[in-house]
Every structure is written in structure tokens, then in C-alpha cells.
Amino acid sequence: MSTPGEAELVERVDEHDQILAVVSRSEAIRHGWLHRIATIVCRAPSGRLLVHRRPDHASRFPGRFFAAQLDPTRPR
């Protein structure tokens, strides 16, 4: 996670998952570039899923509920 004022960096990749560059997450989203993320899904033995509601101020999908937490991976 980035500290305030610091750009969150992600690996921009092509359609074959080859790294093209390390860019800021906001730049990747703004340009619609493919970039790596990690997905975490929490499921109870009973099959129930843990969901979370995205903050109203989130740049993508504000206020929506998700069954997975999506986070950019750290550049290698």
C-alpha cells in the first residue's frame, strides 16, 4: 500500500503477460492499460463469502459490493 502522496506502482503488461513498464496505478487505469493485480477471496467452510463495500470515494466502482479484494501486485 502506498503512503499518502506516493504513487502506487504496478506492472503494465501486454496480452501475453509480458512486462512492458512499471507505471503508476492511476496512469494504468486512466489509459486502460492491462496491469497486474492480486485477488483475495475469503470463503467460510459453509460456502459463505466475505464481501466488502468499496468506499464511496474510490476511483473505480465506488460504493459497490465485491466478493474479492483486488490489489495491485508489487513490481518485481
Side-chain angles (χ1 to χ4, degrees):
M1 187 165 190
S2 298
T3 59
E6 179 184 347
E8 189 173 14
L9 299 178
V10 297
E11 292 172 334
R12 179 181 174 200
V13 296
D14 64 17
E15 63 276 2
H16 303 288
D17 198 35
Q18 298 301 307
I19 299 170
L20 301 174
V22 174
V23 299
S24 72
R25 180 174 176 248
S26 61
E27 184 179 21
I29 291 169
R30 183 172 53 253
H31 292 287
W33 293 334
L34 293 175
H35 58 284
R36 291 184 175 158
I37 61 167
T39 303
I40 301 166
V41 178
C42 298
R43 184 173 58 179
S46 64
R48 294 185 328 154
L49 291 175
L50 174 67
V51 298
H52 79 279
R53 184 177 177 277
R54 293 182 55 85
D56 289 329
H57 64 274
S59 62
R60 312 241 324 158
F61 313 110
R64 298 244 179 119
F65 288 91
F66 281 86
Q69 173 63 42
L70 308 175
D71 287 309
T73 59
R74 296 202 184 278
R76 294 183 212 168

